[in-house]
Amino acid sequence: YQEQLVNMFTMAVGGLHEILGDLGNVSEEWDEYDDDQQEFIQNVAIFLTSFLSSHLRLVETSASRASVIQAHQYVLRISQVDERELFKVCLEYWNVLVRGMYEDSRTSSFNAPSGLLNLGSNAGANGASMSADLRRQMYSGILTGVRYVMISRMARPEEVLIVENDEGEIVREFIKETDTITLYKAERECLIYLTHLDPKDMENIMVEKLNRQMDGSEWSWSNLNKLCWAIGSISGSMSEDQERRVLVIIIKDLLSLCELKRGKDNKAVVASNIMYVVGQYPRFLKAHWKFLKTVANKLFEFMHELHEGVRDMACDTFVTIAQKCRRHFIAHQPGEASPFVDEIIANAESITSDLMPQQVNRFCEAVGYLISAQLNTQTQAMLISGLMKPYNDEWNSLVQKVGENINVLEDLNVVKQLGNILRVNVSACGAVGKGFISQVGNIYIDMLGLYKAVSEIISSCVARDGAIATKYANVRAMRTIKKEALRL
């Protein structure tokens, strides 16, 4: 039975070579193929990946090495085709291969000082396995090709949609599960295994791809995005020393690229990718306080950048870094007059002066994560008070006006301001945790009174005009106040 499988595999690969040759230009010629040709290539991919997933160990030891490598070359060539469903078929197999090789290398390192010591006992007929080192040597060229393909086909790590919420406001919504994110996770898994199998090769490829961005031979927004998503995806899979060396090279090159490129659009794309990459490497940031502080200050600069998307990216990256490195911001670092969080809170109004309300919420959420790391209750309460002071002052002023004249709530801007202040409280509270109770106490009574007032206005509008009243701009804004008050 096993002999028949090996013969069938050898004959199939030989037959495919007669029909297809080496399939070298399939990715360039794919769009010129007719439906039958495309379907044939798809069937080749399904056959090879299915067979190799089930019988790889058998053909590795019993079939000719040339046939096994040729089969993998076909899967590699087909992986380069710009056809998503076809790529997913190949990706599934690459994950099977690299996961198996990684587990082999770990097993051999436990069982013997060197995998080559297992060569005599493991490499043989009847489906016995090759040693981990021998397999790694055999597939080294294939795996280098897979690294290039994964980087060039990298999917977006998260989907952000611009949507209109129930209150008619345009907001950003993070989508947790989509086909793209599932694809990204599978590619990330593959790249992490590939990095463990040969970290030096992965480093060389990424630096080479970045150099091609620098010299313009592969420059495009899409190529740079994919490269930086791939660099971010392998965080933690290199040794700390190698990670430090590689990251310094990559960040220097990206900063140089930002200087080289002309035009605000190009600079914004490079800046966003710099922010993304540094946000994915908390281990490096934690080990280098001065660099972490420089990154944070650079993010605050980007929060004043008027180019679309840059301020959002700066706020999102600040949240990511705050979650992962929070203790470093509240600690008194050597050479600093005070903890950096004090400086951030003192300058918060100027940092957020160009941000939209939703971006201010993200900033306050990030500072909330920093404050949550402060274990001293009194110090934490002081930090919360410092962060919320400008919002409390505005809240008290507006509530006083409403108390003097309830008709102030007919002013849409006033209602929106009150809603935004409650949102800031909700964002900060979610990040700080139970210590935020001191701040809630400052606005609680006024918030209940405001909730009652807007509820009565909404009820009277609906009673007067019917269900259509819920679509009015001022009613929708008042419903935001109710919703955020309940969330808080």
Side-chain angles (χ1 to χ4, degrees):
Y1 170 68
Q2 291 184 339
E3 188 179 336
Q4 296 302 322
L5 279 173
V6 172
N7 290 338
M8 183 176 73
F9 173 75
T10 305
M11 288 169 60
V13 173
L16 287 172
H17 193 261
E18 287 179 23
I19 300 167
L20 301 173
D22 66 358
L23 208 58
N25 299 318
V26 64
S27 57
E28 291 86 8
E29 297 172 357
W30 178 258
D31 290 335
E32 297 168 18
Y33 288 179
D34 60 30
D35 289 349
D36 288 342
Q37 289 172 307
Q38 289 188 354
E39 186 178 356
F40 179 69
I41 296 295
Q42 288 168 345
N43 288 334
V44 169
I46 292 168
F47 162 68
L48 288 175
T49 55
S50 301
F51 187 93
L52 291 170
S53 294
S54 301
H55 306 294
L56 179 61
R57 300 300 179 123
L58 173 64
V59 295
E60 278 178 350
T61 53
S62 303
S64 74
R65 177 170 176 162
S67 295
V68 176
I69 294 298
Q70 183 65 68
H72 284 86
Q73 282 284 7
Y74 282 143
V75 180
L76 182 59
R77 298 265 191 255
I78 294 169
S79 300
Q80 295 166 350
V81 173
D82 189 13
E83 176 64 47
R84 192 172 186 134
E85 294 307 313
L86 188 56
F87 175 69
K88 282 156 71 173
V89 170
C90 299
L91 173 61
E92 188 176 351
Y93 173 68
W94 293 129
N95 267 327
V96 170
L97 175 66
V98 296
R99 188 187 304 117
M101 291 180 69
Y102 172 70
E103 288 168 356
D104 270 6
S105 66
R106 291 192 68 192
T107 304
S108 67
S109 66
F110 284 132
N111 290 345
S114 167
L116 290 172
L117 295 180
N118 298 331
L119 201 59
S121 59
N122 278 1
N126 303 322
S129 298
M130 284 184 178
S131 75
D133 284 1
L134 202 59
R135 292 188 83 206
R136 201 179 295 190
Q137 291 167 18
M138 177 175 170
Y139 291 116
S140 63
I142 295 293
L143 296 186
T144 294
V146 177
R147 290 182 184 99
Y148 278 105
V149 170
M150 289 300 144
I151 292 170
S152 65
R153 298 297 305 275
M154 200 67 194
R156 191 180 193 90
E158 64 183 10
E159 296 257 14
V160 182
L161 296 183
I162 308 299
V163 296
E164 184 179 349
N165 66 13
D166 293 340
E167 281 69 51
E169 298 161 316
I170 302 300
V171 296
R172 295 164 73 244
E173 187 175 288
F174 290 87
I175 309 301
K176 296 295 182 191
E177 286 299 330
T178 66
D179 182 56
T180 299
I181 294 171
T182 304
L183 181 61
Y184 168 77
K185 288 176 179 175
E187 289 175 313
R188 180 182 64 188
E189 180 184 355
C190 189
L191 277 170
I192 287 171
Y193 283 130
L194 287 166
T195 305
H196 280 297
L197 289 170
D198 192 343
K200 187 62 184 171
D201 191 40
M202 182 65 84
E203 175 189 338
N204 292 339
I205 290 170
M206 287 183 162
V207 172
E208 176 199 329
K209 297 282 281 182
L210 193 50
N211 287 335
R212 289 182 189 170
Q213 293 292 316
M214 302 278 286
D215 65 26
S217 59
E218 286 188 5
W219 162 255
S220 75
W221 294 356
S222 175
N223 286 344
L224 182 63
N225 286 340
K226 288 173 182 174
L227 175 58
C228 290
W229 295 336
I231 291 168
S233 74
I234 61 167
S235 172
S237 56
M238 294 178 177
S239 70
E240 198 162 349
D241 285 344
Q242 187 186 11
E243 184 177 275
R244 179 171 62 249
R245 187 181 69 252
V246 174
L247 209 53
V248 166
I249 294 169
I250 286 168
I251 291 168
K252 278 184 178 175
D253 283 353
L254 285 172
L255 289 169
S256 300
L257 188 62
C258 201
E259 294 298 316
L260 277 173
K261 289 300 167 190
R262 294 286 167 263
K264 296 209 78 166
D265 287 354
N266 289 332
K267 286 184 180 294
V269 170
V270 179
S272 294
N273 279 299
I274 292 170
M275 288 186 279
Y276 178 75
V277 170
V278 297
Q280 298 306 303
Y281 283 85
R283 182 171 68 174
F284 178 82
L285 294 174
K286 287 175 183 176
H288 301 86
W289 163 249
K290 281 190 163 50
F291 185 76
L292 174 55
K293 185 179 179 182
T294 302
V295 167
N297 282 323
K298 199 69 184 170
L299 292 176
F300 301 152
E301 280 181 39
F302 285 138
M303 289 178 192
H304 299 286
E305 173 61 61
L306 299 180
H307 193 281
E308 183 183 358
V310 174
R311 286 176 294 176
D312 283 327
M313 190 73 187
C315 293
D316 293 342
T317 306
F318 185 38
V319 169
T320 302
I321 290 174
Q323 286 174 315
K324 295 173 180 175
C325 308
R326 60 186 83 184
R327 287 187 177 84
H328 292 68
F329 284 84
I330 58 127
H332 199 142
Q333 299 289 348
E336 302 284 349
S338 61
F340 190 39
V341 69
D342 294 350
E343 187 181 322
I344 294 171
I345 290 172
N347 298 318
E349 285 189 84
S350 62
I351 292 170
T352 60
S353 58
D354 290 320
L355 298 182
M356 303 293 287
Q358 194 181 6
Q359 294 161 344
V360 173
N361 294 345
R362 291 290 278 168
F363 174 85
C364 291
E365 180 186 350
V367 179
Y369 286 122
L370 304 183
I371 294 171
S372 71
Q374 177 53 260
L375 301 180
N376 183 295
T377 310
Q378 285 183 312
T379 308
Q380 188 183 67
M382 286 171 59
L383 292 172
I384 294 168
S385 176
L387 174 65
M388 300 307 298
K389 185 180 184 306
Y391 307 104
N392 287 343
D393 290 346
E394 188 181 2
W395 170 268
N396 292 332
S397 172
L398 291 171
V399 167
Q400 186 179 349
K401 289 178 184 176
V402 172
E404 292 168 0
N405 181 6
I406 193 68
N407 293 330
V408 170
L409 289 176
E410 292 175 9
D411 185 337
L412 183 58
N413 286 332
V414 170
V415 177
K416 284 188 172 180
Q417 283 174 280
L418 289 164
N420 286 336
I421 294 167
L422 286 173
R423 275 210 182 102
V424 167
N425 276 274
V426 169
S427 297
C429 181
V432 173
K434 63 182 181 181
F436 202 76
I437 191 71
S438 58
Q439 162 61 16
V440 175
N442 291 333
I443 64 170
Y444 187 69
I445 299 299
D446 289 335
M447 185 176 72
L448 291 183
L450 183 64
Y451 186 94
K452 184 169 181 286
V454 296
S455 295
E456 288 171 356
I457 293 171
I458 291 170
S459 297
S460 65
C461 285
V462 172
R464 186 183 69 233
D465 298 337
I468 192 67
T470 58
K471 304 295 182 188
Y472 296 165
N474 64 329
V475 171
R476 292 172 90 168
M478 288 180 193
R479 288 178 68 185
T480 298
I481 289 176
K482 291 183 66 176
K483 184 175 74 175
E484 299 301 331
L486 290 171
R487 287 179 70 188
L488 186 59

